[in-house]
Amino acid sequence: MKRFLFFLCILGVMISGPVWAEQAQGTVKQVAVLPFTVHSSENITYVRDGIWDMLISRLSASEKIRVSSKQEVKEALEKLENKEPTIADVYGLGKRMNLDYAVWGSVTKIGNSISIDAKLLDVSTYKTPLGVFEQSQGMDEVIPRITDFANKIQAHVLGLAPPVAGGSSQSPAAGVTGSSASPSRGPGESKVISTRQGTFTSVINPAFMTSSNPLAHKGFWMSPQYTKKFKGMDIGDVDGDGKNEVVVIDGNTVMIYRKNEASFVLLQSFSGKSYDQYLTVDVADINGNGIDEIIVTNFLNGSPSSFVMEFQNGKYETIASNLRWFMRVINTDEGPVLLGQTMSVIKKDKPFENPIHEIVWRGGTYREGNRMPIPEGVEVFGLTMAKLDAGAERIVALGEYDRLHVYRKTRKFLSQIHTIGGSEDLIWTSEDLFGGSNNLINFDWDERREGYGEASTPDNVYVKTRILTCDINKDGKTEILIIKNISPTGRTLKNFRMFTRSEIYNLQWDGLGLAENWRTQTIQGYVADYQIKDMDNDGKDEVVLAVGLGSSLSRSVIVAYDIDVQQAP
């Protein structure tokens, strides 16, 4: 009997030993790594798969963490039907798989740059205690960032002091780096350029510009991705505090952001009606009170119904509404000028046939001022006025087929200028196409078929991209900065627009026409709008882009290219 009792005791020790060991070592945590969503017109699944494998292998190195297999994750993800998972989707998946933590994120490729946005979700608390948002050039720079992120995940899951990038320990008092903290620095730290208000990570190589030019491209910054289709963007001090804000619009929302040292913060958001069509946004002090107005061209019920907002008495107020102009701000030597163009009703698919006027602030309201010396029939959106040859001011405008035209100042009809044999008012026309927009004005043609017949409808009408003037190389001569959005189908289909790549061109008058100073390498994505202004309040202008991603352009980012002036060779 004693021997039997002794045997039971030994058996009990043998059985309970692993349990005691697990209790002593801590419960094994269940973690799943989801395949990252890819945003690129190129096939970069190798980047996604590389990140997936790296995170799995590094997390599996700990005996206290069990990482779900790829097959388990794929089967769980089938219910999402290949859409990008939201935090609610990840939480639901975590519950179904009995996870403690889930890792997910996205990979974005713009030009030569790869951006990683990764997060760790604590399923029990429904919070994301860890995050990393990094830009790098190629997988060689991605690897150390992912390694740092994996190390931080291990430390958080196991309740250890988080490691500092590079592998050294960090004191427990420092805590775990959360998603709101500045990104950790690892290999390549010397490539980060600090400014007074933030950092720009240098991820574009010196060949960013494709020809010899007086610019040295030093780096770029990119915002988080937003599940919105950005349509317009401008920059200015819209609250009178001496610092610039970034104003962005989608189809019916005005969003005001501030670029702070470590983040891109949404300050205010104003939504219109569901049937509003916001087309463009500009920022300028037109009424001369020292605070930039937010000027939005809106299209409602078949005609312009634009409005202006301004910061007054501690909040944003609509100071003018139901304005019957398509509106655009251009920069001149005398300062910003607001242009307005009423809608032509003679031809439904030719809304920009009317003259363009300066819009001025007079008597507490916006009114039509002088008619501008711009050819009648030029669209107000795709034009600027600039001193090009011998200091003479010219009209630079995108034409019907997106060719760039240079006109003398005139109020003649376009039909009188574009004639067989030419006209002295048309100085130059480009061979290349520029601009390119999918910013469609919805006229609701089903209710406007009169004159077209039931079998056909008029062509779609798209808002042309803005044209900017600048003097980046500081030689005292005006340069033209213009975007070229590139479509895989070309420009042959009038009623179908799909732009997947883009380039930025710097042009300057050489005596015969606008010659190319430089252009950027191809940017993966559609540029909806752009500006040259000081976005981060460091006293230097940046080239800032609102970029749409994916075939449906349902995701958008703000990208800022830091530029510096060097002596031309």
Side-chain angles (χ1 to χ4, degrees):
M1 184 69 176
K2 291 181 178 179
R3 290 182 179 179
F4 180 70
L5 291 175
F6 178 75
F7 174 75
L8 289 179
C9 290
I10 296 297
L11 182 62
V13 169
M14 293 174 62
I15 294 173
S16 61
V19 177
W20 293 344
E22 183 173 301
Q23 290 175 346
Q25 296 177 4
T27 304
V28 174
K29 299 295 185 181
Q30 184 71 40
V31 179
V33 180
L34 281 59
F36 283 28
T37 304
V38 173
H39 301 290
S40 175
S41 60
E42 302 177 35
N43 184 356
I44 59 168
T45 53
Y46 68 95
V47 178
R48 180 202 64 189
D49 293 342
I51 292 172
W52 199 5
D53 290 336
M54 279 189 289
L55 285 173
I56 289 176
S57 64
R58 282 155 177 73
L59 294 177
S60 299
S62 172
E63 295 179 354
K64 300 176 184 179
I65 297 176
R66 182 190 179 276
V67 183
S68 301
S69 69
K70 284 186 175 181
Q71 186 59 37
E72 289 176 302
V73 173
K74 288 178 180 178
E75 290 175 357
L77 286 173
E78 288 179 355
K79 296 183 179 179
L80 296 183
E81 299 178 348
N82 295 323
K83 73 171 184 176
E84 181 167 358
T86 63
I87 186 172
D89 293 329
V90 177
Y91 174 75
L93 180 142
K95 285 296 187 181
R96 291 195 299 273
M97 296 181 67
N98 295 318
L99 300 177
D100 295 296
Y101 296 92
V103 182
W104 87 107
S106 61
V107 184
T108 302
K109 188 173 188 297
I110 298 179
N112 291 338
S113 308
I114 297 174
S115 171
I116 308 296
D117 186 2
K119 298 179 180 68
L120 172 70
L121 175 68
D122 186 333
V123 177
S124 63
T125 63
Y126 201 0
K127 294 182 179 179
T128 55
L130 284 177
V132 60
F133 182 77
E134 294 289 347
Q135 294 103 24
S136 60
Q137 185 173 359
M139 284 295 290
D140 290 342
E141 293 185 16
V142 169
I143 291 172
R145 305 297 187 187
I146 294 299
T147 299
D148 289 344
F149 183 51
N151 291 338
K152 289 179 181 179
I153 292 174
Q154 278 194 1
H156 184 83
V157 169
L158 301 178
L160 304 176
V164 176
S168 61
S169 298
Q170 182 175 314
S171 65
V176 178
T177 302
S179 58
S180 62
S182 299
S184 62
R185 300 287 182 256
E189 185 178 31
S190 61
K191 295 185 179 181
V192 176
I193 303 166
S194 296
T195 69
R196 186 161 52 86
Q197 294 296 327
T199 59
F200 288 88
T201 305
S202 180
V203 299
I204 302 294
N205 60 31
F208 172 75
M209 305 302 179
T210 60
S211 61
S212 178
N213 64 86
L215 293 184
H217 184 76
K218 299 179 69 175
F220 94 108
W221 167 92
M222 186 167 69
S223 74
Q225 295 178 24
Y226 300 95
T227 54
K228 294 178 178 292
K229 187 175 182 178
F230 289 166
K231 300 183 71 174
M233 180 271 303
D234 204 349
I235 299 167
D237 180 11
V238 296
D239 60 5
D241 66 349
K243 295 182 179 180
N244 284 340
E245 288 78 37
V246 181
V247 182
V248 185
I249 60 167
D250 63 9
N252 63 350
T253 308
V254 177
M255 295 154 280
I256 304 172
Y257 292 89
R258 169 74 60 77
K259 173 66 175 71
N260 291 325
E261 184 174 352
S263 58
F264 193 57
V265 180
L266 177 64
L267 303 179
Q268 295 274 351
S269 178
F270 304 94
S271 295
K273 301 179 178 64
S274 60
Y275 44 84
D276 281 327
Q277 292 185 61
Y278 294 178
L279 300 178
T280 63
V281 63
D282 290 282
V283 171
D285 181 16
I286 301 302
N287 58 17
N289 65 355
I291 300 177
D292 289 339
E293 298 110 277
I294 299 173
I295 303 162
V296 178
T297 295
N298 181 33
F299 195 78
L300 179 64
N301 296 325
S303 63
S305 182
S306 303
F307 62 92
V308 180
M309 300 175 64
E310 188 175 67
F311 193 76
Q312 297 181 350
N313 302 318
K315 61 180 180 179
Y316 291 94
E317 301 278 4
T318 299
I319 62 173
S321 61
N322 198 31
L323 302 175
R324 295 303 181 183
W325 304 292
F326 298 109
M327 300 194 295
R328 176 102 285 174
V329 172
I330 63 171
N331 291 320
T332 69
D333 290 345
E334 289 72 36
V337 173
L338 176 60
L339 303 179
Q341 185 175 33
T342 58
M343 178 177 164
S344 171
V345 295
I346 297 175
K347 294 182 179 179
K348 299 291 187 181
D349 56 347
K350 301 287 185 181
F352 304 109
E353 296 291 293
N354 285 345
I356 294 173
H357 289 76
E358 181 179 4
I359 304 302
V360 298
W361 178 261
R362 186 184 303 140
T365 188
Y366 295 94
R367 301 176 182 273
E368 278 192 359
N370 294 329
R371 179 181 170 182
M372 300 297 289
I374 298 172
E376 190 166 335
V378 168
E379 180 177 326
V380 70
F381 295 120
L383 73 87
T384 191
M385 301 177 70
K387 292 183 178 179
L388 297 179
D389 54 334
E393 194 168 46
R394 305 301 188 193
I395 310 302
V396 182
L398 286 166
E400 182 178 3
Y401 301 103
D402 282 340
R403 296 192 187 278
L404 201 56
H405 303 291
V406 177
Y407 302 98
R408 287 187 172 88
K409 288 183 176 180
T410 179
R411 295 184 176 89
K412 293 181 181 178
F413 290 98
L414 277 182
S415 58
Q416 296 175 296
I417 298 173
H418 289 270
T419 59
I420 297 175
S423 166
E424 63 178 11
D425 294 309
L426 176 60
I427 300 174
W428 178 81
T429 298
S430 68
E431 293 184 2
D432 291 337
L433 305 182
F434 293 94
S437 169
N438 67 3
N439 191 358
L440 174 66
I441 303 177
N442 184 4
F443 286 92
D444 193 6
W445 291 122
D446 288 340
E447 298 180 5
R448 294 173 172 80
R449 291 179 180 270
E450 296 179 13
Y452 295 99
E454 290 296 323
S456 65
T457 57
D459 291 333
N460 286 338
V461 177
Y462 297 89
V463 173
K464 295 193 185 314
T465 59
R466 72 168 85 231
I467 301 174
L468 300 177
T469 57
C470 55
D471 182 14
I472 293 177
N473 59 16
K474 306 300 181 184
D475 63 353
K477 298 179 181 179
T478 301
E479 301 156 40
I480 300 295
L481 201 74
I482 191 166
I483 205 75
K484 177 192 283 189
N485 283 310
I486 303 169
S487 171
T489 61
R491 307 288 180 89
T492 57
L493 303 176
K494 290 185 177 181
N495 292 325
F496 177 75
R497 298 286 181 95
M498 182 178 68
F499 298 103
T500 57
R501 297 173 295 134
S502 54
E503 297 169 340
I504 305 170
Y505 282 73
N506 181 287
L507 310 175
Q508 193 167 11
W509 190 262
D510 66 357
L512 297 176
L514 288 172
E516 179 184 323
N517 282 335
W518 50 260
R519 77 178 85 166
T520 64
Q521 291 183 350
T522 300
I523 300 166
Q524 299 300 325
Y526 160 75
V527 176
D529 206 350
Y530 59 111
Q531 266 295 355
I532 308 177
K533 291 185 179 179
D534 182 10
M535 185 190 76
D536 64 342
N537 296 291
D538 67 346
K540 300 178 181 179
D541 288 344
E542 292 83 40
V543 178
V544 186
L545 315 175
V547 181
L549 304 173
S551 58
S552 64
L553 306 179
S554 58
R555 300 185 66 82
S556 301
V557 295
I558 301 295
V559 179
Y561 289 100
D562 199 14
I563 56 179
D564 195 12
V565 177
Q566 292 183 343
Q567 292 295 324

